[in-house]
Amino acid sequence: MLAELWNLFLLFFLIQGFCPDLIACRTVPASELSLKLDESLPLLWPQPMEFRHGNETLSVDPKLEFRVVGAGSNSSILAEALERYRGIVFRHRTKSSPRPTFDLGRLTIVVSSDSEELQLGVDESYTLFVAGRNPLSIVAEATIEANTIYGAIRGLETFSQLCSFNFKTKEVQVHKAPWYINDKPRFTFRGLLIDTSRHYLPVNVIKQVIDSMSYAKLNVLHWHIIDEQAFPLEVPSYPDLWNGSYTKWERYTIEDAYDLVEYAKRRGVNIMPEIDVPGHAESWGIGYPDLWPSPICREPLDVSQEFTFSVISGILQDMHNIFPFELFHLGGDEVNTECWSSTIHVKQWLENKNMTEKDGYQYFVLRAQQIAAAQNRTPVNWEETFNIFGDKLHPQTVVHNWWGPGVCPKVVAKGLRCIMSNQGQWYLDHLDVPWEDFYISEPLEGIVDPSQQELVIGGEVCMWGETADTSDIQQTIWPRAAAAAERLWSPRAATTGGDLNAIVLPRLEYFRCLLNRRGVAAAPVTNSLARKPPIGPGSCFVQ
Amino acid sequence: MLAELWNLFLLFFLIQGFCPDLIACRTVPASELSLKLDESLPLLWPQPMEFRHGNETLSVDPKLEFRVVGAGSNSSILAEALERYRGIVFRHRTKSSPRPTFDLGRLTIVVSSDSEELQLGVDESYTLFVAGRNPLSIVAEATIEANTIYGAIRGLETFSQLCSFNFKTKEVQVHKAPWYINDKPRFTFRGLLIDTSRHYLPVNVIKQVIDSMSYAKLNVLHWHIIDEQAFPLEVPSYPDLWNGSYTKWERYTIEDAYDLVEYAKRRGVNIMPEIDVPGHAESWGIGYPDLWPSPICREPLDVSQEFTFSVISGILQDMHNIFPFELFHLGGDEVNTECWSSTIHVKQWLENKNMTEKDGYQYFVLRAQQIAAAQNRTPVNWEETFNIFGDKLHPQTVVHNWWGPGVCPKVVAKGLRCIMSNQGQWYLDHLDVPWEDFYISEPLEGIVDPSQQELVIGGEVCMWGETADTSDIQQTIWPRAAAAAERLWSPRAATTGGDLNAIVLPRLEYFRCLLNRRGVAAAPVTNSLARKPPIGPGSCFVQ
């Protein structure tokens, strides 16, 4: 039934996908006459699970009343979100003498739970109803119903996308009302990785990234804090660790980290920290050289020293209160263990334990997992750990795919959970991967058994930082991350098949321009390489 | 005397320009060990006219009191600026239990004028005094004295740059106190051009640009609103003009324009609008095709119709209240008049008037100037108008150089005022022009007579929009615009001579990172081409 409804809608898009409005479509040079968008289309991104709409246009009162009802109505997070979205919806100044009455005067938000806890799997569902004009009442009504404030925040985002500014009447309008939307995410984990070791990202910039994530309903910021190049985070129990930062100004205090976690939470975004061990950790030894096998052979961390695990334990303890998210990423990727054999005391230790280098790698990862588990954190590890000793991993492990396709099917067949980040499709630093490849990348590819499908908790796009700093991170992330965001949020049937250029591209271009309007530097959608500047003058909607 | 003081300071920079602090300088890969910055240097951008400092470090109370004194103390613009800078200075959360006393507890701002008027030549001077610890008083004092609120706002920017966050003590500190700064701009016009015709820039994005301008003490946003590609601005008296916008969403209402002017004013930035006639105006005819010579020959505007000048007059009348800035840019560049001869009715009109095409061009520009002058606006025109009929221009005309060097000397020799934007050095869309060329571009080059020098009101960097949209405008503007900003603000002697890489580059890299910290996507300073991403991992301060 739902599938039929979708087919009907897709057909509707195709038929309506031409511009009936000369003004909306014209551009001066004939070469640019390709804009096929019409405001009356349901230009929502990501597409809701289920929606119906009519054909009315409603004007929205610039003094729109927010009425908050239910056990969640006292939430300061919700109150702040309402004011944030008021600013987004009513971006343009209106005339000094607006008309006296508007169609839509009130938005009621019903939240049934009083819990503000944000965790993996928190209920993000909502319904949004925007009523048409009713002869029996003075104004039309809009209502968001959600079980949690986080569902309400997702509903507010959708409501804000239904609202558009009419430059002629100078009113905010909702087209195609009445609307009935019933929505919830397909996957519980919809992530974006940022890398603050290859380039330090100021706190303000990370906040900008979090803002933009919430517009696409992404909900996990995977913070790859530390790598071999720099250790920017304060660790009170080992205060010299952040001597490994690039400079004394390119650092995060624990207060900064708390600030970011709270900022993200207020937008329904979890922060999953990563401490990537034992490789990708050279910078640790700037503060504590004993963590290196030797001053001339610095990676991976010295497996033979108890001190190494004391430091890991200290870091995790210090981070426990800062990052309440259940998942904790322990890395484990790209470990070249040659240093262990070429450094005498480590080689001796391995021999004493009757271990190969590979055994040492396994020993290291499993000890780190135990440290995390002892603190009630669920370990996440990159796929090499599974590929090499998958049957030894902690049974709660979430395996993070990155190298290539076909990993999650093997992971879930072993009963472990999986996150997909196939580098050929979801690595944002691969500038030659176009938006279509991000869009068609399917986390459940090759997994048929429903109980195994449930073990794929979602996916993540990765913004590795070798060539991404404050100057170019947003346009490298957007708009391609949005393509993955729809894949992760919307029903599989709605995001599969059909002519992407006809069905999806116009909506994605509209969403890119929406990001631009909100101040996010999302790049042109159809450029040959990501983050390329526009090739010439033209409308945002066709570049 | 002042020059000697400067030489002393420059010598001081050279001697001190190495890093005494291992932590501040280290980076992991040896290839990056080039950071020579030390926080104790006076890392101010642009350099103040005159400054002295000591050697103390003062801690700043996170509850810093702002005391506002004088006739300007009731200004809401000033009050808003104070809160803005509080947010900038105290960006990082502090610990929950900070120490009980701080060295600097109060900033007094004395503003002697109660006028909030912002115009060309408004007094932007200020003094800033940050006292050292005094055994006779409990706290140190900081004082900004200015004649106008705009001078005070410049002083606040400088104060914010003196403040830096110490990640170890988790305090905001002022190094090298006490400070005495006596400052005012060298030129009254320090501009940046944006182009909203080649690409529409959302209101939010223009506000981001205005924010960033204020950090570099630029004070004129030259808004090249309309060009041949698109006409995005509402003109109430000719309501079909903005039919020439790309889409019905890529427009500015007059309320948007008011909003931008007020937003800019609150940061001490004037907006100078440009209506570029008679060339660069094809988009006008989408709404009113009679403005074209013919549907097949559309530029320049039809010189033979009175309607053309009625429309220009209507636009200027509608814009008069929106843009209070005295200067109004009428364009006049790159006019190819062939259409006038190839269109029969225009050719006939020229013949009847006994005019050549060139005469028609002059006639058009001068009539537009008269329309502006009749509304008490000072006309600004691109240099072609001066080059071709300079002696006929309105005597108040400000000539805007762009084509090449040596124009301003000729302009001021004729007694007209001049703005320098030499494309080889100050066009931001010329991506191959490095920061050094922006820095050494001297508006008074070739002008010796002091009375002629005074006719150069300043300069402007131009961000033409063919390949600059929301996704890349900030990193194309910054950091190179900052190089010009210092040239336009700081004394000529302070910005001339010496090894730029030793004296200027470290400060510019510091300023680029300051912009990044404030959320501005300023690009790496030393890349081969502007707005290129960083070429590899590394510190912001050396890229």
Side-chain angles (χ1 to χ4, degrees), chain A residues 188-215:
Chain A
T188 57
F189 186 107
R190 306 180 304 282
L192 166 69
L193 177 147
I194 59 168
D195 169 5
T196 56
S197 180
R198 276 60 177 258
H199 283 97
Y200 174 80
L201 298 169
V203 169
N204 275 344
V205 175
I206 299 178
K207 288 180 176 176
Q208 291 172 344
V209 170
I210 292 167
D211 284 339
S212 64
M213 290 174 70
S214 70
Y215 304 150

PDB file of all heavy atoms in Angstrom, chain A residues 188-215:
ATOM      1  N   THR A 188      19.203   4.021  12.743  1.00  0.00           N
ATOM      2  CA  THR A 188      19.391   4.795  13.972  1.00  0.00           C
ATOM      3  C   THR A 188      20.720   5.554  13.985  1.00  0.00           C
ATOM      4  O   THR A 188      20.879   6.491  14.753  1.00  0.00           O
ATOM      5  CB  THR A 188      19.366   3.873  15.211  1.00  0.00           C
ATOM      6  OG1 THR A 188      20.368   2.872  15.052  1.00  0.00           O
ATOM      7  CG2 THR A 188      18.014   3.217  15.366  1.00  0.00           C
ATOM      8  N   PHE A 189      21.663   5.132  13.156  1.00  0.00           N
ATOM      9  CA  PHE A 189      22.994   5.749  13.154  1.00  0.00           C
ATOM     10  C   PHE A 189      23.209   6.391  11.785  1.00  0.00           C
ATOM     11  O   PHE A 189      23.377   5.714  10.775  1.00  0.00           O
ATOM     12  CB  PHE A 189      24.055   4.677  13.426  1.00  0.00           C
ATOM     13  CG  PHE A 189      25.458   5.209  13.601  1.00  0.00           C
ATOM     14  CD1 PHE A 189      26.052   5.241  14.850  1.00  0.00           C
ATOM     15  CD2 PHE A 189      26.197   5.681  12.515  1.00  0.00           C
ATOM     16  CE1 PHE A 189      27.347   5.713  15.024  1.00  0.00           C
ATOM     17  CE2 PHE A 189      27.480   6.162  12.679  1.00  0.00           C
ATOM     18  CZ  PHE A 189      28.066   6.178  13.932  1.00  0.00           C
ATOM     19  N   ARG A 190      23.201   7.721  11.767  1.00  0.00           N
ATOM     20  CA  ARG A 190      23.372   8.463  10.500  1.00  0.00           C
ATOM     21  C   ARG A 190      24.493   9.474  10.732  1.00  0.00           C
ATOM     22  O   ARG A 190      24.281  10.574  11.233  1.00  0.00           O
ATOM     23  CB  ARG A 190      22.051   9.150  10.123  1.00  0.00           C
ATOM     24  CG  ARG A 190      20.857   8.152  10.077  1.00  0.00           C
ATOM     25  CD  ARG A 190      19.546   8.802   9.709  1.00  0.00           C
ATOM     26  NE  ARG A 190      19.197   9.898  10.574  1.00  0.00           N
ATOM     27  CZ  ARG A 190      18.680   9.796  11.795  1.00  0.00           C
ATOM     28  NH1 ARG A 190      18.450   8.596  12.329  1.00  0.00           N
ATOM     29  NH2 ARG A 190      18.394  10.864  12.504  1.00  0.00           N
ATOM     30  N   GLY A 191      25.698   9.043  10.362  1.00  0.00           N
ATOM     31  CA  GLY A 191      26.878   9.733  10.859  1.00  0.00           C
ATOM     32  C   GLY A 191      27.647  10.558   9.843  1.00  0.00           C
ATOM     33  O   GLY A 191      27.526  10.401   8.628  1.00  0.00           O
ATOM     34  N   LEU A 192      28.449  11.445  10.415  1.00  0.00           N
ATOM     35  CA  LEU A 192      29.427  12.226   9.652  1.00  0.00           C
ATOM     36  C   LEU A 192      30.705  12.254  10.471  1.00  0.00           C
ATOM     37  O   LEU A 192      30.679  12.600  11.658  1.00  0.00           O
ATOM     38  CB  LEU A 192      28.919  13.661   9.440  1.00  0.00           C
ATOM     39  CG  LEU A 192      29.966  14.678   8.954  1.00  0.00           C
ATOM     40  CD1 LEU A 192      30.393  14.374   7.520  1.00  0.00           C
ATOM     41  CD2 LEU A 192      29.420  16.105   9.052  1.00  0.00           C
ATOM     42  N   LEU A 193      31.837  11.883   9.857  1.00  0.00           N
ATOM     43  CA  LEU A 193      33.128  11.944  10.530  1.00  0.00           C
ATOM     44  C   LEU A 193      33.822  13.266  10.233  1.00  0.00           C
ATOM     45  O   LEU A 193      33.841  13.725   9.098  1.00  0.00           O
ATOM     46  CB  LEU A 193      34.022  10.785  10.069  1.00  0.00           C
ATOM     47  CG  LEU A 193      35.466  10.746  10.627  1.00  0.00           C
ATOM     48  CD1 LEU A 193      35.912   9.292  10.789  1.00  0.00           C
ATOM     49  CD2 LEU A 193      36.463  11.474   9.732  1.00  0.00           C
ATOM     50  N   ILE A 194      34.374  13.873  11.282  1.00  0.00           N
ATOM     51  CA  ILE A 194      35.312  14.982  11.090  1.00  0.00           C
ATOM     52  C   ILE A 194      36.632  14.604  11.747  1.00  0.00           C
ATOM     53  O   ILE A 194      36.662  13.807  12.691  1.00  0.00           O
ATOM     54  CB  ILE A 194      34.806  16.323  11.661  1.00  0.00           C
ATOM     55  CG1 ILE A 194      34.537  16.208  13.167  1.00  0.00           C
ATOM     56  CG2 ILE A 194      33.582  16.810  10.896  1.00  0.00           C
ATOM     57  CD1 ILE A 194      34.318  17.552  13.841  1.00  0.00           C
ATOM     58  N   ASP A 195      37.694  15.184  11.253  1.00  0.00           N
ATOM     59  CA  ASP A 195      39.063  14.780  11.595  1.00  0.00           C
ATOM     60  C   ASP A 195      39.807  16.036  12.050  1.00  0.00           C
ATOM     61  O   ASP A 195      40.160  16.886  11.236  1.00  0.00           O
ATOM     62  CB  ASP A 195      39.678  14.172  10.327  1.00  0.00           C
ATOM     63  CG  ASP A 195      41.183  13.949  10.416  1.00  0.00           C
ATOM     64  OD1 ASP A 195      41.771  14.173  11.486  1.00  0.00           O
ATOM     65  OD2 ASP A 195      41.762  13.542   9.381  1.00  0.00           O
ATOM     66  N   THR A 196      40.023  16.145  13.356  1.00  0.00           N
ATOM     67  CA  THR A 196      40.662  17.361  13.880  1.00  0.00           C
ATOM     68  C   THR A 196      42.140  17.166  14.163  1.00  0.00           C
ATOM     69  O   THR A 196      42.756  17.962  14.859  1.00  0.00           O
ATOM     70  CB  THR A 196      39.959  17.834  15.176  1.00  0.00           C
ATOM     71  OG1 THR A 196      39.969  16.766  16.126  1.00  0.00           O
ATOM     72  CG2 THR A 196      38.542  18.270  14.890  1.00  0.00           C
ATOM     73  N   SER A 197      42.706  16.114  13.605  1.00  0.00           N
ATOM     74  CA  SER A 197      44.142  15.899  13.765  1.00  0.00           C
ATOM     75  C   SER A 197      44.899  16.370  12.529  1.00  0.00           C
ATOM     76  O   SER A 197      45.941  17.008  12.640  1.00  0.00           O
ATOM     77  CB  SER A 197      44.441  14.423  14.016  1.00  0.00           C
ATOM     78  OG  SER A 197      45.827  14.221  14.170  1.00  0.00           O
ATOM     79  N   ARG A 198      44.394  16.071  11.354  1.00  0.00           N
ATOM     80  CA  ARG A 198      45.068  16.520  10.125  1.00  0.00           C
ATOM     81  C   ARG A 198      44.954  18.029   9.992  1.00  0.00           C
ATOM     82  O   ARG A 198      45.860  18.694   9.513  1.00  0.00           O
ATOM     83  CB  ARG A 198      44.485  15.816   8.905  1.00  0.00           C
ATOM     84  CG  ARG A 198      45.112  14.446   8.652  1.00  0.00           C
ATOM     85  CD  ARG A 198      44.931  13.472   9.818  1.00  0.00           C
ATOM     86  NE  ARG A 198      45.471  12.138   9.564  1.00  0.00           N
ATOM     87  CZ  ARG A 198      44.714  11.097   9.241  1.00  0.00           C
ATOM     88  NH1 ARG A 198      43.392  11.209   9.175  1.00  0.00           N
ATOM     89  NH2 ARG A 198      45.288   9.923   9.040  1.00  0.00           N
ATOM     90  N   HIS A 199      43.799  18.565  10.395  1.00  0.00           N
ATOM     91  CA  HIS A 199      43.668  20.019  10.565  1.00  0.00           C
ATOM     92  C   HIS A 199      42.803  20.283  11.790  1.00  0.00           C
ATOM     93  O   HIS A 199      41.733  19.689  11.938  1.00  0.00           O
ATOM     94  CB  HIS A 199      43.035  20.686   9.338  1.00  0.00           C
ATOM     95  CG  HIS A 199      43.990  20.843   8.202  1.00  0.00           C
ATOM     96  ND1 HIS A 199      44.063  19.952   7.167  1.00  0.00           N
ATOM     97  CD2 HIS A 199      44.943  21.784   7.959  1.00  0.00           C
ATOM     98  CE1 HIS A 199      45.010  20.332   6.317  1.00  0.00           C
ATOM     99  NE2 HIS A 199      45.571  21.433   6.775  1.00  0.00           N
ATOM    100  N   TYR A 200      43.261  21.195  12.611  1.00  0.00           N
ATOM    101  CA  TYR A 200      42.459  21.636  13.751  1.00  0.00           C
ATOM    102  C   TYR A 200      41.250  22.411  13.253  1.00  0.00           C
ATOM    103  O   TYR A 200      41.373  23.285  12.387  1.00  0.00           O
ATOM    104  CB  TYR A 200      43.314  22.531  14.638  1.00  0.00           C
ATOM    105  CG  TYR A 200      42.561  23.175  15.783  1.00  0.00           C
ATOM    106  CD1 TYR A 200      42.296  22.455  16.945  1.00  0.00           C
ATOM    107  CD2 TYR A 200      42.129  24.491  15.698  1.00  0.00           C
ATOM    108  CE1 TYR A 200      41.614  23.036  17.996  1.00  0.00           C
ATOM    109  CE2 TYR A 200      41.442  25.084  16.755  1.00  0.00           C
ATOM    110  CZ  TYR A 200      41.189  24.346  17.893  1.00  0.00           C
ATOM    111  OH  TYR A 200      40.509  24.936  18.931  1.00  0.00           O
ATOM    112  N   LEU A 201      40.089  22.084  13.771  1.00  0.00           N
ATOM    113  CA  LEU A 201      38.882  22.839  13.436  1.00  0.00           C
ATOM    114  C   LEU A 201      38.433  23.603  14.673  1.00  0.00           C
ATOM    115  O   LEU A 201      38.174  22.989  15.717  1.00  0.00           O
ATOM    116  CB  LEU A 201      37.763  21.891  12.989  1.00  0.00           C
ATOM    117  CG  LEU A 201      38.035  21.069  11.724  1.00  0.00           C
ATOM    118  CD1 LEU A 201      36.970  19.993  11.544  1.00  0.00           C
ATOM    119  CD2 LEU A 201      38.104  21.976  10.498  1.00  0.00           C
ATOM    120  N   PRO A 202      38.349  24.933  14.605  1.00  0.00           N
ATOM    121  CA  PRO A 202      37.918  25.690  15.777  1.00  0.00           C
ATOM    122  C   PRO A 202      36.514  25.258  16.242  1.00  0.00           C
ATOM    123  O   PRO A 202      35.715  24.760  15.442  1.00  0.00           O
ATOM    124  CB  PRO A 202      37.898  27.134  15.268  1.00  0.00           C
ATOM    125  CG  PRO A 202      38.857  27.162  14.122  1.00  0.00           C
ATOM    126  CD  PRO A 202      38.712  25.815  13.474  1.00  0.00           C
ATOM    127  N   VAL A 203      36.276  25.457  17.521  1.00  0.00           N
ATOM    128  CA  VAL A 203      34.985  25.073  18.105  1.00  0.00           C
ATOM    129  C   VAL A 203      33.826  25.674  17.312  1.00  0.00           C
ATOM    130  O   VAL A 203      32.834  24.993  17.015  1.00  0.00           O
ATOM    131  CB  VAL A 203      34.930  25.504  19.592  1.00  0.00           C
ATOM    132  CG1 VAL A 203      33.518  25.362  20.152  1.00  0.00           C
ATOM    133  CG2 VAL A 203      35.908  24.660  20.409  1.00  0.00           C
ATOM    134  N   ASN A 204      33.937  26.935  16.934  1.00  0.00           N
ATOM    135  CA  ASN A 204      32.873  27.576  16.149  1.00  0.00           C
ATOM    136  C   ASN A 204      32.600  26.841  14.846  1.00  0.00           C
ATOM    137  O   ASN A 204      31.466  26.796  14.382  1.00  0.00           O
ATOM    138  CB  ASN A 204      33.278  29.014  15.778  1.00  0.00           C
ATOM    139  CG  ASN A 204      32.957  29.982  16.871  1.00  0.00           C
ATOM    140  OD1 ASN A 204      32.187  29.671  17.776  1.00  0.00           O
ATOM    141  ND2 ASN A 204      33.528  31.158  16.796  1.00  0.00           N
ATOM    142  N   VAL A 205      33.636  26.335  14.245  1.00  0.00           N
ATOM    143  CA  VAL A 205      33.484  25.666  12.950  1.00  0.00           C
ATOM    144  C   VAL A 205      32.804  24.314  13.134  1.00  0.00           C
ATOM    145  O   VAL A 205      31.940  23.916  12.344  1.00  0.00           O
ATOM    146  CB  VAL A 205      34.861  25.537  12.264  1.00  0.00           C
ATOM    147  CG1 VAL A 205      34.769  24.738  10.981  1.00  0.00           C
ATOM    148  CG2 VAL A 205      35.427  26.931  11.999  1.00  0.00           C
ATOM    149  N   ILE A 206      33.179  23.598  14.192  1.00  0.00           N
ATOM    150  CA  ILE A 206      32.499  22.325  14.473  1.00  0.00           C
ATOM    151  C   ILE A 206      31.019  22.585  14.744  1.00  0.00           C
ATOM    152  O   ILE A 206      30.147  21.825  14.312  1.00  0.00           O
ATOM    153  CB  ILE A 206      33.178  21.595  15.643  1.00  0.00           C
ATOM    154  CG1 ILE A 206      34.639  21.277  15.286  1.00  0.00           C
ATOM    155  CG2 ILE A 206      32.430  20.319  15.991  1.00  0.00           C
ATOM    156  CD1 ILE A 206      35.416  20.593  16.402  1.00  0.00           C
ATOM    157  N   LYS A 207      30.730  23.691  15.421  1.00  0.00           N
ATOM    158  CA  LYS A 207      29.314  24.023  15.655  1.00  0.00           C
ATOM    159  C   LYS A 207      28.582  24.299  14.342  1.00  0.00           C
ATOM    160  O   LYS A 207      27.428  23.909  14.174  1.00  0.00           O
ATOM    161  CB  LYS A 207      29.210  25.229  16.597  1.00  0.00           C
ATOM    162  CG  LYS A 207      29.572  24.896  18.041  1.00  0.00           C
ATOM    163  CD  LYS A 207      29.444  26.127  18.942  1.00  0.00           C
ATOM    164  CE  LYS A 207      29.726  25.741  20.401  1.00  0.00           C
ATOM    165  NZ  LYS A 207      29.710  26.937  21.289  1.00  0.00           N
ATOM    166  N   GLN A 208      29.251  24.964  13.415  1.00  0.00           N
ATOM    167  CA  GLN A 208      28.631  25.182  12.099  1.00  0.00           C
ATOM    168  C   GLN A 208      28.331  23.852  11.420  1.00  0.00           C
ATOM    169  O   GLN A 208      27.284  23.681  10.787  1.00  0.00           O
ATOM    170  CB  GLN A 208      29.558  26.028  11.201  1.00  0.00           C
ATOM    171  CG  GLN A 208      29.723  27.476  11.645  1.00  0.00           C
ATOM    172  CD  GLN A 208      30.799  28.218  10.838  1.00  0.00           C
ATOM    173  OE1 GLN A 208      31.625  27.623  10.158  1.00  0.00           O
ATOM    174  NE2 GLN A 208      30.791  29.545  10.931  1.00  0.00           N
ATOM    175  N   VAL A 209      29.256  22.899  11.546  1.00  0.00           N
ATOM    176  CA  VAL A 209      29.038  21.579  10.943  1.00  0.00           C
ATOM    177  C   VAL A 209      27.844  20.892  11.606  1.00  0.00           C
ATOM    178  O   VAL A 209      26.988  20.293  10.930  1.00  0.00           O
ATOM    179  CB  VAL A 209      30.312  20.718  11.055  1.00  0.00           C
ATOM    180  CG1 VAL A 209      30.030  19.273  10.651  1.00  0.00           C
ATOM    181  CG2 VAL A 209      31.432  21.301  10.191  1.00  0.00           C
ATOM    182  N   ILE A 210      27.760  20.995  12.924  1.00  0.00           N
ATOM    183  CA  ILE A 210      26.632  20.380  13.639  1.00  0.00           C
ATOM    184  C   ILE A 210      25.308  21.002  13.192  1.00  0.00           C
ATOM    185  O   ILE A 210      24.324  20.294  12.945  1.00  0.00           O
ATOM    186  CB  ILE A 210      26.834  20.522  15.168  1.00  0.00           C
ATOM    187  CG1 ILE A 210      28.023  19.666  15.624  1.00  0.00           C
ATOM    188  CG2 ILE A 210      25.564  20.144  15.921  1.00  0.00           C
ATOM    189  CD1 ILE A 210      28.507  19.979  17.043  1.00  0.00           C
ATOM    190  N   ASP A 211      25.276  22.319  13.084  1.00  0.00           N
ATOM    191  CA  ASP A 211      24.065  22.983  12.573  1.00  0.00           C
ATOM    192  C   ASP A 211      23.644  22.368  11.248  1.00  0.00           C
ATOM    193  O   ASP A 211      22.487  22.004  11.048  1.00  0.00           O
ATOM    194  CB  ASP A 211      24.326  24.475  12.335  1.00  0.00           C
ATOM    195  CG  ASP A 211      24.352  25.278  13.620  1.00  0.00           C
ATOM    196  OD1 ASP A 211      23.790  24.810  14.630  1.00  0.00           O
ATOM    197  OD2 ASP A 211      24.942  26.374  13.607  1.00  0.00           O
ATOM    198  N   SER A 212      24.608  22.267  10.334  1.00  0.00           N
ATOM    199  CA  SER A 212      24.263  21.796   8.991  1.00  0.00           C
ATOM    200  C   SER A 212      23.814  20.344   9.022  1.00  0.00           C
ATOM    201  O   SER A 212      22.919  19.942   8.269  1.00  0.00           O
ATOM    202  CB  SER A 212      25.450  22.001   8.046  1.00  0.00           C
ATOM    203  OG  SER A 212      26.559  21.221   8.445  1.00  0.00           O
ATOM    204  N   MET A 213      24.395  19.523   9.902  1.00  0.00           N
ATOM    205  CA  MET A 213      23.955  18.132  10.021  1.00  0.00           C
ATOM    206  C   MET A 213      22.474  18.049  10.378  1.00  0.00           C
ATOM    207  O   MET A 213      21.729  17.228   9.839  1.00  0.00           O
ATOM    208  CB  MET A 213      24.755  17.408  11.116  1.00  0.00           C
ATOM    209  CG  MET A 213      26.210  17.141  10.791  1.00  0.00           C
ATOM    210  SD  MET A 213      27.096  16.453  12.219  1.00  0.00           S
ATOM    211  CE  MET A 213      26.348  14.804  12.315  1.00  0.00           C
ATOM    212  N   SER A 214      22.054  18.923  11.292  1.00  0.00           N
ATOM    213  CA  SER A 214      20.663  18.841  11.753  1.00  0.00           C
ATOM    214  C   SER A 214      19.690  19.170  10.624  1.00  0.00           C
ATOM    215  O   SER A 214      18.561  18.690  10.621  1.00  0.00           O
ATOM    216  CB  SER A 214      20.439  19.759  12.956  1.00  0.00           C
ATOM    217  OG  SER A 214      20.492  21.124  12.565  1.00  0.00           O
ATOM    218  N   TYR A 215      20.135  19.976   9.655  1.00  0.00           N
ATOM    219  CA  TYR A 215      19.239  20.293   8.527  1.00  0.00           C
ATOM    220  C   TYR A 215      18.966  19.061   7.667  1.00  0.00           C
ATOM    221  O   TYR A 215      17.935  18.955   7.035  1.00  0.00           O
ATOM    222  CB  TYR A 215      19.836  21.416   7.667  1.00  0.00           C
ATOM    223  CG  TYR A 215      20.156  22.686   8.427  1.00  0.00           C
ATOM    224  CD1 TYR A 215      21.195  23.527   8.030  1.00  0.00           C
ATOM    225  CD2 TYR A 215      19.415  23.057   9.549  1.00  0.00           C
ATOM    226  CE1 TYR A 215      21.494  24.693   8.727  1.00  0.00           C
ATOM    227  CE2 TYR A 215      19.714  24.218  10.256  1.00  0.00           C
ATOM    228  CZ  TYR A 215      20.760  25.030   9.841  1.00  0.00           C
ATOM    229  OH  TYR A 215      21.059  26.176  10.530  1.00  0.00           O
TER     230      TYR A 215
END
